[in-house]
């Protein structure tokens, strides 16, 4: 098994699949490392193996995943599933764990395609069993053909929430209510984005169609919801909400929360890529150029990990980043690169045209990102409350990394995935400064847990510099184009 | 196609291909761990390996993410209570 690849792609969703397929078509030796055991990432989860008798429940876009999977399988790129990346060194050695053993592989170019994760939704009771994300429900639907709960309530805002509601309705599953937290004023603010968004008018029409379908199915759509809380002891029993002056409580056994997705920045942070705070999308994202290249040499990001754009935009970004990798590796010149990428760049622009409208319409409300309640948990792992954060700032804590020392926020197993944004914005609000000034948790490998036994079982890789001339000839014979043996150090 | 595993010693049926987290939810297992800090009950939240709420003991190894592990015949799953005892 070779230990050096021209291109290693991390992540098996649309960006990763498109990047790896493109890389292989440029005759780059290409490896795709996927934490899941089959391709598709989350948006196309289980697309090749779904037990759903009627996948149309999920929606027509889901089938795009099968096409991407088929193209990838035919591409000649190598697939390694069940591979959890825990480390990437500045020399581009990638450590991953697979079936209880750690491995390292080196890449001349890396494309990170680890996608997005759900924005935290810190409401009172959000840690109760029976409270899950909309994404969790979609994964259950796609991968197992099950829907959680019998008296399901959906809460929050964003296209994925409405899509989930439609999927549940199509599957014949009763949805008690959709507690919609989109702020009315957003609709007025969003008018400015409408002309640009009309480039993707079909997308808008689809959204309106979803909402009409919900109404026809008798799902209670409560708009203008401002406060939500979950009650229960060992499992959720009810959800309360406020809507204007009105307060109400619904009995429920499953509450599905969603207020958008945000880039997964765990690997880019651990690599010390430069990041910036995006005030429109209210999240941190790695700084990338139009090719997806980060501030770290040899590392590019494609897909939602570079900024939320959706599944089709992710494909285009994947292709663009792999074409750029081909140029960096001197397999194609700049003119060829520009020619090959032109169509994808244009298509990407069209896909992203609707984003400003969506970002504005579905901007999560301030108090649902930064909870008012003192007792509301901010860090689920270490059970740190909003009150703990406020008191820490009062005592002089200025940022998330200091906060770790004060109250251990961010030091639990999720490594800040569920509290990083809340903590950043909460400290910014308490200090009355911009989130960009507050910063983010310093993340260090391992980026996913790794057992000592797995490391002990590892065979260290051979550095390419030790390959002699005869080995280079062997590589040519294997029809992998010879590279100019650049020293990887 | 079904596969059988045990939860805290009791037999549970699962669909072949389901993750442990899916199987526990489908089986109505309720809370799947209690937290080290306060002993609060928790259950799967994100189903995609991000939240680390679904930590269970699988075949004697603690802190396994149930949503990332597929059920195998005879697998022994135990709920985690609190933190590790050294």
């Amino acid at each position: 098994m070779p230990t050096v690849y021209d291109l290693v792609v991390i992540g098996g969703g649309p960006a990763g699949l498109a990047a790896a397929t493109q890389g292989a078509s440029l005759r780059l030796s290409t490896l795709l490392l996927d934490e899941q055991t089959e391709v598709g990432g989350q948006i196309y989860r289980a697309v090749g193996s779904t037990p759903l008798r009627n996948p149309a429940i999920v929606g027509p876009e889901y089938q795009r995943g099968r096409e991407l999977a088929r193209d990838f399988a035919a591409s000649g790129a190598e697939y390694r599933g069940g591979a959890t990346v825990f480390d990437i060194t500045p020399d581009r050695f990638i450590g991953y764990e697979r079936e209880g053993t750690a491995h390292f592989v080196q890449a001349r170019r890396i494309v990170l395609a680890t996608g997005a994760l759900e924005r935290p939704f810190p409401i009172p009771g959000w840690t109760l069993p029976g409270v899950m994300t909309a994404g969790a429900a979609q994964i259950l639907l796609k991968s197992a053909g099950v829907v959680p709960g019998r008296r399901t309530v959906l809460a929050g805002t964003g296209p994925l929430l409405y899509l989930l509601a439609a999927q549940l309705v199509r599957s014949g599953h009763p949805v008690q209510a959709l507690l919609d937290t989109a702020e009315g004023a957003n609709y007025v603010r969003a008018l400015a984005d409408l002309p640009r968004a009309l480039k993707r008018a079909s997308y808008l029409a689809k959204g309106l169609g979803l909402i009409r379908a919900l109404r026809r199915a008798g799902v209670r759509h409560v708009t203008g919801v401002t406060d939500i809380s979950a009650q229960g002891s060992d499992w959720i029993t009810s959800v309360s909400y406020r809507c204007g002056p009105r307060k109400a409580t619904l009995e429920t056994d499953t509450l599905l929360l969603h207020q958008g997705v945000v880039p997964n920045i765990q690997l880019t942070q651990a690599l010390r890529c430069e990041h910036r705070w995006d005030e429109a999308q209210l999240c941190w994202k790695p700084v990338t150029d139009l090719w997806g290249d980060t501030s770290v040499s040899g590392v590019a990001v494609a897909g939602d990990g570079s900024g939320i754009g959706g599944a089709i935009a992710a494909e285009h970004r994947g292709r663009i980043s792999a074409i750029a990798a081909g140029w960096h590796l001197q397999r194609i010149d700049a003119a060829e690169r520009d020619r090959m990428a032109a169509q994808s760049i244009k298509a990407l622009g069209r896909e992203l045209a609707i984003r400003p409208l969506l970002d504005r319409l579905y901007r999560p409300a301030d108090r649902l990102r930064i909870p008012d309640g003192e007792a509301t948990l901010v860090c689920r792992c270490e059970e740190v409350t909003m009150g703990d954060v406020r008191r820490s700032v009062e005592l002089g804590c200025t940022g998330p990394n200091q906060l770790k020392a004060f109250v251990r926020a961010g030091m639990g197993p999720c490594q800040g995935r569920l509290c990083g944004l809340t903590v950043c914005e909460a400290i910014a609000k308490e200090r009355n400064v911009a989130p960009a000034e507050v910063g983010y948790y310093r993340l260090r490998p391992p980026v996913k847990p790794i057992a000592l036994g797995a490391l002990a079982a590892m065979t260290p890789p051979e550095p390419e510099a030790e390959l002699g001339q005869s080995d280079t000839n062997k590589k040519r014979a294997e029809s992998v184009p010879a590279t100019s043996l650049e020293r990887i150090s | 196609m079904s596969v059988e595993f045990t939860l805290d010693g009791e037999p549970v049926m699962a669909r072949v291909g389901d993750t442990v987290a899916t199987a526990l939810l489908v089986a109505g297992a309720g809370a799947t761990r209690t937290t080290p800090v306060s002993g609060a009950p928790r259950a799967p939240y994100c189903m995609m390996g991000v939240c680390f709420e679904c930590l269970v003991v699988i075949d004697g190894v603690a802190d396994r993410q149930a949503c990332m592990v597929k059920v195998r015949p005879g697998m022994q799953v135990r709920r985690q209570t609190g933190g590790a005892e050294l």
Side-chain angles (χ1 to χ4, degrees):
Chain A
M1 206 183 327
T3 53
V4 187
Y5 288 83
D6 287 331
L7 177 65
V8 175
V9 177
I10 300 172
L17 289 172
T21 303
Q22 179 72 70
S25 85
L26 287 170
R27 297 171 60 71
L28 307 181
S29 56
T30 303
L31 169 67
L32 191 148
L33 293 173
D34 183 7
E35 189 177 47
Q36 298 295 325
T37 51
E38 52 172 316
V39 300
Q42 300 308 328
I43 191 71
Y44 300 130
R45 181 87 180 240
V47 73
S49 67
T50 180
L52 280 173
R53 261 174 262 117
N54 181 16
I57 286 171
V58 177
E61 301 84 5
Y62 187 50
Q63 295 312 310
R64 179 64 190 144
R66 296 181 77 107
E67 291 163 10
L68 288 174
R70 185 202 58 210
D71 291 346
F72 171 71
S75 71
E78 195 183 324
Y79 176 73
R80 222 164 279 169
T84 303
V85 172
F86 62 85
D87 186 18
I88 304 178
T89 71
D91 301 344
R92 293 181 307 281
F93 280 91
I94 299 160
Y96 65 92
E97 182 259 325
R98 192 166 187 245
E99 289 165 8
T101 302
H103 305 268
F104 271 87
V105 68
Q106 195 178 18
R108 296 192 182 94
R109 306 292 308 185
I110 296 174
V111 170
L112 297 174
T114 56
L117 38 84
E118 294 252 357
R119 177 183 294 283
F121 206 140
I123 58 166
W126 72 305
T127 54
L128 274 172
V131 180
M132 292 193 287
T133 61
Q138 285 177 322
I139 287 165
L140 283 165
L141 188 65
K142 290 166 185 168
S143 67
V146 300
V147 287
R150 293 189 183 80
R151 315 184 54 192
T152 310
V153 174
L154 275 58
T157 185
L160 283 174
L161 189 68
Y162 307 124
L163 177 62
L164 172 65
Q167 290 165 335
L168 293 176
V169 162
R170 279 184 220 132
S171 73
H173 186 77
V175 175
Q176 234 195 111
L178 195 161
L179 306 177
D180 196 328
T181 60
E183 295 180 295
N186 289 346
Y187 285 86
V188 175
R189 289 184 204 120
L191 282 174
D193 301 306
L194 194 57
R196 212 177 139 202
L198 286 172
K199 279 194 206 176
R200 293 291 282 119
S202 60
Y203 190 101
L204 283 173
K206 190 173 67 180
L208 291 170
L210 282 178
I211 291 171
R212 271 201 299 272
L214 291 182
R215 299 241 163 89
R216 275 201 304 272
V219 176
R220 262 179 80 191
H221 183 199
V222 184
T223 55
V225 172
T226 53
D227 294 272
I228 306 172
S229 63
Q231 293 86 39
S233 53
D234 292 324
W235 195 268
I236 185 176
T237 53
S238 62
V239 55
S240 301
Y241 64 94
R242 186 194 292 268
C243 174
R246 220 164 42 83
K247 285 197 318 198
T249 298
L250 299 172
E251 284 182 18
T252 184
D253 60 354
T254 301
L255 174 62
L256 300 173
L257 300 175
H258 179 80
Q259 50 181 2
V261 292
V262 295
N264 178 354
I265 55 172
Q266 301 297 108
L267 279 171
T268 48
Q269 285 281 356
L271 272 165
R272 303 271 179 275
C273 297
E274 200 189 322
H275 288 73
R276 66 175 187 88
W277 174 260
D278 186 317
E279 187 56 33
Q281 294 198 326
L282 295 168
C283 63
W284 288 93
K285 43 171 86 158
V287 173
T288 56
D289 65 14
L290 71 101
W291 302 107
D293 289 331
T294 67
S295 59
V296 171
S297 171
V299 177
V301 180
D304 274 1
S306 64
I308 302 306
I312 304 298
E315 283 185 45
H316 297 314
R317 280 172 163 152
R319 280 177 209 113
I320 290 165
S321 68
I323 291 166
W327 168 71
H328 281 295
L329 293 172
Q330 297 169 335
R331 304 304 171 80
I332 57 175
D333 61 26
E336 181 79 3
R337 172 200 65 184
D338 295 345
R339 188 192 61 77
M340 289 183 77
Q343 202 176 18
S344 295
I345 290 171
K346 214 161 151 191
L348 177 63
R350 280 197 303 272
E351 284 301 314
L352 295 180
I354 198 170
R355 281 292 135 179
L357 177 76
L358 295 179
D359 292 344
R360 231 191 269 270
L361 265 183
Y362 303 123
R363 185 182 172 86
D366 289 353
R367 58 204 282 172
L368 295 175
R369 296 189 334 269
I370 310 161
D372 288 334
E374 291 281 287
T376 305
L377 286 179
V378 165
C379 167
R380 298 172 59 115
C381 297
E382 296 293 327
E383 301 185 63
V384 176
T385 66
M386 190 60 208
D388 295 331
V389 177
R390 286 199 185 103
R391 273 184 289 284
S392 301
V393 175
E394 279 162 29
L395 287 169
C397 174
T398 55
N401 294 300
Q402 254 192 317
L403 191 68
K404 287 179 187 175
F406 274 72
V407 290
R408 285 192 60 88
M411 294 183 77
C414 94
Q415 295 172 300
R417 289 169 175 89
L418 265 73
C419 67
L421 286 176
T422 313
V423 158
C424 171
E425 288 207 273
I427 292 173
K429 184 177 173 191
E430 292 302 306
R431 287 184 51 204
N432 202 21
V433 299
E437 194 184 313
V438 165
Y440 197 77
Y441 291 130
R442 167 144 292 180
L443 301 179
R444 294 185 175 84
V447 160
K448 282 279 174 96
I450 178 83
L452 286 175
L455 288 169
M458 183 176 75
T459 310
E462 310 269 333
E464 193 197 41
E466 285 175 23
L467 282 178
Q469 189 60 34
S470 58
D471 289 317
T472 312
N473 287 334
K474 243 187 256 168
K475 277 181 72 179
R476 273 201 201 99
E478 284 161 12
S479 81
V480 172
T483 65
S484 55
L485 279 175
E486 55 174 339
R487 260 200 116 74
I488 300 170
S489 58
Chain B
M1 268 213 301
S2 327
V3 58
E4 187 179 286
F5 67 102
T6 63
L7 174 66
D8 292 333
E10 298 300 316
V12 182
M13 295 306 295
R15 190 191 70 96
V16 169
D18 280 355
T19 61
V20 173
T22 298
L24 293 177
L25 282 168
V26 168
T32 52
R33 76 177 176 110
T34 56
T35 60
V37 176
S38 74
R42 299 287 173 94
Y45 177 77
C46 79
M47 297 298 286
M48 56 181 271
V50 158
C51 73
F52 289 80
E53 292 288 4
C54 63
L55 301 179
V56 290
V57 183
I58 296 180
D59 293 335
V61 178
D63 294 328
R64 303 290 305 280
Q65 290 173 289
C67 71
M68 301 297 294
V69 178
K70 294 219 162 111
V71 177
R72 275 189 327 272
M75 184 179 266
Q76 294 179 354
V77 177
R78 304 200 81 85
R79 292 181 181 85
Q80 285 189 186
T81 46
E85 279 164 26
L86 298 171

